[in-house]
Amino acid sequence: MIKRFALLFALLAAPAAAQGTADLDRLYGSRDWRGVSERMRLANSEADAHAALQWAAAKVLDGAPHVVALAYADLLWRIGQGRGDESLKHEAAIVTLYSVALAAVDGAACLDRTAIEARVNQILSATGPRISLLRALPPERRQDARARVTSLEQTTFLRRPEDQEICRAGQGEITRQLRAPGTEVIEQPLRPGQAARTVDIRPGPSYRPQMYTLQEARVRREVQRQQRLPALLRDLVPS
């Protein structure tokens, strides 16, 4: 399955694609996941977009958190739409489904039990056309999409870092962020497909989401991936 993801980049054929990603490496190294997402969103030239895609693909396969996977899917979708390339849009849809799977599994590390549903719903509300694309596929291809997501999630399970971004979506955590000293609330501009503006909460430096210990979190994540993830994927992309 990993080879199937990697084959995408033979299609993109970006020469010297490893160049121009030092800023992404810096943001990733400091775990500035939102910075990574914004940097990829601003990749406008063909060479820059190709370099960002190859960089992100390597990170996703190495266990990047769900925000990076989603940023990768967003850029794939944007290029696919611009080119009218259904294969890229299909790949973007599968990576989007993978990001939903990560939110569902890795969110089990959050003490706020509302975090998983809230974050999954946030992703789905912003990426509805991609899930609809998968749901419209023939049954065997829908099954293949679920299998690819399941396989990649299994491959990256032990590599993925603690994902605080998921926890921040929980109702209790939103309240804690708003109360943290130095928190900023910034209204975001409307993006294509959005019906209403959203706000970005940028918590003060002292804020940390409440999470289980690493040992407890690993057990809870394992239970989530075994017992609940298969049903979620079937609900989203039924046979």
Side-chain angles (χ1 to χ4, degrees), residues 9 28 52-64 68 72 159:
F9 301 102
Y28 192 91
L53 281 176
Q54 290 196 337
W55 177 91
K59 294 300 183 185
V60 168
L61 294 175
D62 196 40
V68 177
Y72 171 44
R159 305 175 193 168

Side-chain angles (χ1 to χ4, degrees), residues 159-193:
R159 305 175 193 168
R160 298 197 301 269
E162 185 179 73
D163 196 336
Q164 297 185 1
E165 286 294 317
I166 302 169
C167 302
R168 288 178 53 178
Q171 295 176 5
E173 288 296 339
I174 289 174
T175 299
R176 294 185 67 245
Q177 290 171 73
L178 293 174
R179 291 175 177 173
T183 290
E184 297 180 280
V185 179
I186 302 172
E187 187 176 56
Q188 299 299 298
L190 277 175
R191 293 187 181 180

Side-chain angles (χ1 to χ4, degrees), residues 22-214:
D23 52 346
L24 284 168
D25 286 330
R26 175 180 54 79
L27 292 165
Y28 192 91
S30 62
R31 297 197 171 196
D32 184 355
W33 313 129
R34 291 190 174 193
V36 169
S37 297
E38 183 64 12
R39 166 63 178 81
M40 292 189 66
R41 188 181 70 82
L42 295 175
N44 291 319
S45 73
E46 184 172 354
D48 191 26
H50 287 175
L53 281 176
Q54 290 196 337
W55 177 91
K59 294 300 183 185
V60 168
L61 294 175
D62 196 40
H66 85 288
V67 175
V68 177
L70 189 58
Y72 171 44
D74 289 346
L75 187 51
L76 273 175
W77 184 260
R78 175 153 57 97
I79 293 175
Q81 284 189 310
R83 293 183 179 180
D85 190 324
E86 292 301 313
S87 65
L88 292 184
K89 291 170 66 177
H90 178 262
E91 199 74 13
I94 289 179
V95 179
T96 299
L97 188 62
Y98 170 70
S99 74
V100 171
L102 296 196
V105 172
D106 296 343
C110 307
L111 283 178
D112 188 335
R113 295 189 177 184
T114 68
I116 291 177
E117 182 177 2
R119 185 58 186 141
V120 166
N121 286 340
Q122 286 174 354
I123 297 172
L124 294 177
S125 67
T127 61
R130 303 178 206 176
I131 303 302
S132 295
L133 185 153
L134 294 179
R135 293 172 69 95
L137 293 172
E140 64 275 11
R141 294 191 66 191
R142 280 179 260 154
Q143 183 176 355
D144 179 69
R146 294 197 306 270
R148 290 181 64 185
V149 168
T150 300
S151 178
L152 184 57
E153 192 283 323
Q154 291 173 348
T155 299
T156 62
F157 179 71
L158 295 179
R159 305 175 193 168
R160 298 197 301 269
E162 185 179 73
D163 196 336
Q164 297 185 1
E165 286 294 317
I166 302 169
C167 302
R168 288 178 53 178
Q171 295 176 5
E173 288 296 339
I174 289 174
T175 299
R176 294 185 67 245
Q177 290 171 73
L178 293 174
R179 291 175 177 173
T183 290
E184 297 180 280
V185 179
I186 302 172
E187 187 176 56
Q188 299 299 298
L190 277 175
R191 293 187 181 180
Q194 285 186 330
R197 293 181 183 272
T198 61
V199 296
D200 183 17
I201 301 175
R202 300 183 182 178
S206 64
Y207 167 78
R208 294 292 183 278
Q210 296 178 323
M211 305 183 74
Y212 289 96
T213 66
L214 291 178

